[in-house]
Amino acid sequence: MSTGPERGLRYADAGVDIDAAEATVARYREIARRVQRPEVLGALGSFAGLFRLQGYEDPVLASSTDSVGTKVLVAAAAGRFDTVGQDLVNHCVNDILTAGAQPLFFLDYLATADLPQAQRVELVAGIGLACEQNGVALIGGETADLPDLYRPGDYDIAGFIVGAVERSAVLDGSRIRAGDALVALPSSGLHTNGYSLVRAAFGLAKGADAAHDRAVLGTVYAELGGTLGDALLAVHRSYLGVLGPLLGRIHGWAHITGGGIPGNLPRILPEGLGAFVDAGAWRTPPLFEVIQRQGRVADAEMYRTFNMGIGAILVVAADDAAGVLAALPESWALGAVEARAAGEPAVRGLPLA
Amino acid sequence: MSTGPERGLRYADAGVDIDAAEATVARYREIARRVQRPEVLGALGSFAGLFRLQGYEDPVLASSTDSVGTKVLVAAAAGRFDTVGQDLVNHCVNDILTAGAQPLFFLDYLATADLPQAQRVELVAGIGLACEQNGVALIGGETADLPDLYRPGDYDIAGFIVGAVERSAVLDGSRIRAGDALVALPSSGLHTNGYSLVRAAFGLAKGADAAHDRAVLGTVYAELGGTLGDALLAVHRSYLGVLGPLLGRIHGWAHITGGGIPGNLPRILPEGLGAFVDAGAWRTPPLFEVIQRQGRVADAEMYRTFNMGIGAILVVAADDAAGVLAALPESWALGAVEARAAGEPAVRGLPLA
């Protein structure tokens, strides 16, 4: 093989600068070091993250992967890079918490064409912060430099979580009965779903006009008590802190993500059961009304796209509902589990038609 | 909240068609059902994948995340959607196998603006095939519809794997000594690294001219025994089958991915050790020569970007090298581990300057 001339192609010319990437990786490691757990083994920088599993008699591993959807575009349009990492971790933590699992470790995947190194570090710092808050080890990750696949300044981010639960404590729907009560916990905003509809409604982050995007996001709405951007970028809540201590007494819980209440509540219900949800039991937060007005969105479309202010729906024994409501000051009684015949809707009570 | 007029925004207008996505998810489930393992619990479609961990005394979980880089762009330009899923799984399997771990389960993340449903299913079928070949459960995944983040027809795909290994059997570099022998195993091609350089060299998959891309990829090279496209899309090898039975006798092994031999071999070497690699020990496969010629790439840049025909480098006891070479018919003696003083290069013998 002959040595090419000096002007031959270098990998950096192709849009991939390995030296810059390595400097950023060193920053990632500083972040990861702050959120390790004693079970984490081995040197950082190896090909695999290693986690010693201890303290379980019959462990079941619970895992999930997610992204934050086009919330990344809204965040980039607002010039914010510190929140979406938190969204990502909290979303994943909630997903495995629906099985009753405590989170153990997290890995992130960040893909971009040219996102500046400082912003990459900000994104990973957001991940690290939420890992710390949830007691999760940040055990690995991958940053993929993908020239031509992403537009300048764009990126995507995905997360992967593993947790564990004793087999006898798995929440798999088998404890849910007709007559159980439904209890709602508030969301902090849109969480990570419905951003493409929001962007269509406001003509936002469509890749055209940065000044327009900044003006839209900077608009103050009295009913939001601040800017649209701040309301849209509110961090997806983790329910680990409030639900963790209650896992032994709840029969199941649904994380209200893409597809809203009708798309998610039925996922945890056994065959032959449905849910009655009292649409009058709560006041939809103003953010959803602002979006509905702006996009002239039908009610049914709103309920099938957004969480409408509810991030978690718990299923509890009817005679324990008062106790659970008392233990969760933010919660409210939402409805009940009921028998459902074949062909009947899985969720009654919401304006879904 | 008032019902919006009929012409109000629907989520599908925003580029997200939940009904079509649900039909595709049903196809994903068929694929996943074929590659389950008995340890997988719970219904598909829940928020978390559940895997019962059994048979380990002191289990260490090994995990990794990866993508296939801009190999997705080359594959899309060639109209191939069945191979990159295999690349992804095999890459991840290899990464945790470097720690001595057997793979248990896999989750995929697929992000796109508008990839047709049939092609999404093809991608996931490729993942399913490789999961089956490696004995890995496909336990979950996420398809993110991200209008405006990806160009028409583009997509990205990432994978997450978890495996396990007894703590006493973890390959963490501690068995590696100066004087150990290095043994090479061939790659099947580029595996999943260096595609942006290849694309720059051939002006390929830069988003401009589909006919040009097809002509480039369809060009037959005598030394490749076929088209450039077929050579570039050769599936990343899994080394589980050949290395799995040898894990007890090897001191470590490096997966040669992004950064080539100099970027990966040092990752498994303890402080104070380096490697001598005999550049004359193997003939670089013709594909790398075709790329070097086309891009007039310097030797050093080639070795720092591509695997150059070596996908795995094993570290074995010097007196066991002959036995390992005999057990692996494709393998060859590559060099040795040696003492290294501070400031000396981690890898000697390759044209890296």
Side-chain angles (χ1 to χ4, degrees):
Chain A
M1 178 179 302
S2 64
T3 302
E6 287 302 316
R7 67 209 162 90
L9 268 178
R10 292 184 63 247
Y11 203 38
D13 302 332
V16 181
D17 187 336
I18 288 178
D19 290 339
E22 279 175 1
T24 298
V25 166
R27 298 286 305 278
Y28 293 168
R29 286 182 193 164
E30 285 169 32
I31 294 165
R33 256 195 292 274
R34 287 202 298 272
V35 290
Q36 293 306 317
R37 293 168 49 134
E39 302 97 321
V40 176
L41 305 180
L44 285 154
S46 64
F47 295 90
L50 299 179
F51 189 98
R52 190 177 178 192
L53 188 69
Q54 288 177 293
Y56 289 88
E57 278 185 21
D58 187 0
V60 171
L61 303 177
S63 57
S64 185
T65 179
D66 256 301
S67 72
V68 302
T70 56
K71 193 170 188 175
V72 293
L73 293 176
V74 176
R80 292 286 297 274
F81 294 89
D82 57 334
T83 57
V84 295
Q86 301 174 61
D87 289 314
L88 187 65
V89 173
N90 291 345
H91 188 153
C92 288
V93 165
N94 289 344
D95 275 349
I96 63 168
L97 191 66
T98 63
Q102 296 288 327
L104 300 175
F105 60 85
F106 186 88
L107 297 91
D108 69 289
Y109 172 69
L110 169 60
T112 179
D114 70 343
L115 196 69
Q117 303 294 328
Q119 295 177 351
R120 300 176 189 208
V121 172
E122 255 193 288
L123 284 167
V124 175
I127 290 170
L129 174 63
C131 281
E132 213 171 342
Q133 289 167 341
N134 288 285
V136 182
L138 179 54
I139 207 172
E142 166 79 1
T143 297
D145 285 286
L146 302 174
D148 302 320
L149 191 51
Y150 295 87
R151 296 178 306 197
D154 277 355
Y155 67 94
D156 193 16
I157 192 164
F160 168 64
I161 199 163
V162 172
V165 52
E166 287 292 352
R167 193 180 183 202
S168 58
V170 170
L171 295 176
D172 59 3
S174 58
R175 298 187 217 167
I176 296 175
R177 303 276 181 272
D180 281 352
L182 300 178
V183 171
L185 277 170
S187 62
S188 53
L190 304 193
H191 284 183
T192 55
N193 291 100
Y195 285 88
S196 288
L197 182 53
V198 169
R199 293 187 308 108
F202 288 91
L204 186 62
K206 307 294 283 183
D209 185 345
H212 165 264
D213 286 353
R214 279 194 300 271
V216 168
L217 290 169
T219 304
V220 173
Y221 287 74
E223 60 265 60
L224 301 180
T227 66
L228 180 65
D230 284 345
L232 290 176
L233 293 177
V235 169
H236 193 136
R237 272 189 71 169
S238 163
Y239 294 101
L240 178 63
V242 293
L243 289 188
L246 295 181
L247 289 175
R249 69 197 270 193
I250 68 178
H251 294 177
W253 76 276
H255 186 201
I256 308 305
T257 58
I261 295 170
N264 289 285
L265 183 51
R267 292 168 72 179
I268 65 164
L269 300 178
E271 193 77 25
L273 295 182
F276 171 73
V277 173
D278 177 4
W282 82 105
R283 165 123 168 72
T284 306
L287 176 59
F288 299 94
E289 296 176 349
V290 167
I291 294 166
Q292 180 165 31
R293 198 168 62 224
Q294 177 74 24
R296 295 169 318 202
V297 185
D299 278 354
E301 197 70 12
M302 290 296 294
Y303 279 94
R304 291 189 184 280
T305 303
F306 298 104
N307 66 55
M308 302 302 276
I310 296 177
I313 299 178
L314 284 55
V315 180
V316 301
D319 60 9
D320 193 30
V324 169
L325 288 163
L328 298 170
E330 318 161 287
S331 69
W332 64 89
L334 185 70
V337 176
E338 57 186 17
R340 173 166 80 107
E344 283 181 11
V347 175
R348 284 195 315 122
L350 297 177
L352 299 175
Chain B
M1 177 179 303
S2 63
T3 301
E6 286 302 316
R7 66 208 163 89
L9 268 178
R10 292 185 63 247
Y11 204 37
D13 302 332
V16 180
D17 187 338
I18 288 178
D19 290 339
E22 279 175 2
T24 298
V25 166
R27 298 287 304 278
Y28 292 168
R29 286 182 193 165
E30 285 169 32
I31 294 165
R33 257 196 291 274
R34 288 202 298 271
V35 291
Q36 292 305 318
R37 293 169 47 134
E39 301 98 321
V40 176
L41 305 180
L44 284 154
S46 65
F47 294 89
L50 299 179
F51 189 98
R52 190 177 179 191
L53 188 69
Q54 289 177 292
Y56 289 87
E57 279 185 18
D58 187 358
V60 172
L61 304 177
S63 58
S64 185
T65 177
D66 256 302
S67 74
V68 301
T70 56
K71 193 170 188 174
V72 292
L73 293 175
V74 177
R80 293 287 295 275
F81 295 88
D82 57 333
T83 57
V84 295
Q86 300 174 62
D87 290 313
L88 188 66
V89 173
N90 291 346
H91 188 153
C92 287
V93 165
N94 290 343
D95 276 350
I96 62 167
L97 191 67
T98 63
Q102 297 287 328
L104 300 176
F105 59 85
F106 186 89
L107 297 90
D108 69 289
Y109 172 69
L110 170 60
T112 180
D114 70 343
L115 196 69
Q117 304 293 328
Q119 296 178 350
R120 300 176 189 208
V121 172
E122 256 193 285
L123 284 167
V124 176
I127 290 170
L129 175 63
C131 281
E132 213 171 343
Q133 290 167 341
N134 288 285
V136 181
L138 179 54
I139 207 173
E142 166 79 2
T143 297
D145 285 287
L146 302 173
D148 302 319
L149 191 51
Y150 295 86
R151 296 178 306 197
D154 277 354
Y155 66 95
D156 194 15
I157 191 165
F160 303 103
I161 199 164
V162 171
V165 51
E166 286 291 352
R167 193 182 182 202
S168 58
V170 170
L171 295 175
D172 59 4
S174 58
R175 298 186 218 168
I176 296 175
R177 303 274 181 273
D180 280 353
L182 299 179
V183 171
L185 278 170
S187 61
S188 53
L190 304 193
H191 283 184
T192 54
N193 291 101
Y195 285 87
S196 289
L197 182 54
V198 168
R199 293 186 308 108
F202 289 91
L204 185 62
K206 307 294 283 183
D209 185 345
H212 164 263
D213 286 353
R214 279 195 300 271
V216 169
L217 290 169
T219 304
V220 173
Y221 287 75
E223 61 265 60
L224 301 180
T227 65
L228 180 66
D230 284 345
L232 289 177
L233 293 176
V235 169
H236 194 136
R237 271 189 71 170
S238 164
Y239 294 100
L240 177 63
V242 293
L243 289 187
L246 295 181
L247 289 175
R249 70 198 270 192
I250 68 178
H251 294 177
W253 78 276
H255 186 202
I256 309 306
T257 58
I261 295 171
N264 288 285
L265 183 51
R267 292 168 70 179
I268 66 164
L269 300 179
E271 193 77 25
L273 295 181
F276 170 73
V277 173
D278 178 4
W282 82 105
R283 166 123 168 69
T284 307
L287 175 59
F288 299 94
E289 297 176 349
V290 168
I291 293 165
Q292 180 165 32
R293 199 167 62 226
Q294 177 74 24
R296 295 169 317 203
V297 185
D299 278 356
E301 198 69 13
M302 290 295 295
Y303 279 95
R304 291 189 184 281
T305 304
F306 298 104
N307 66 54
M308 302 302 276
I310 296 177
I313 299 179
L314 285 55
V315 180
V316 301
D319 60 8
D320 193 30
V324 169
L325 288 163
L328 298 170
E330 318 160 287
S331 70
W332 65 89
L334 185 70
V337 176
E338 57 185 17
R340 173 167 81 108
E344 283 182 11
V347 175
R348 286 194 314 122
L350 297 178
L352 298 176

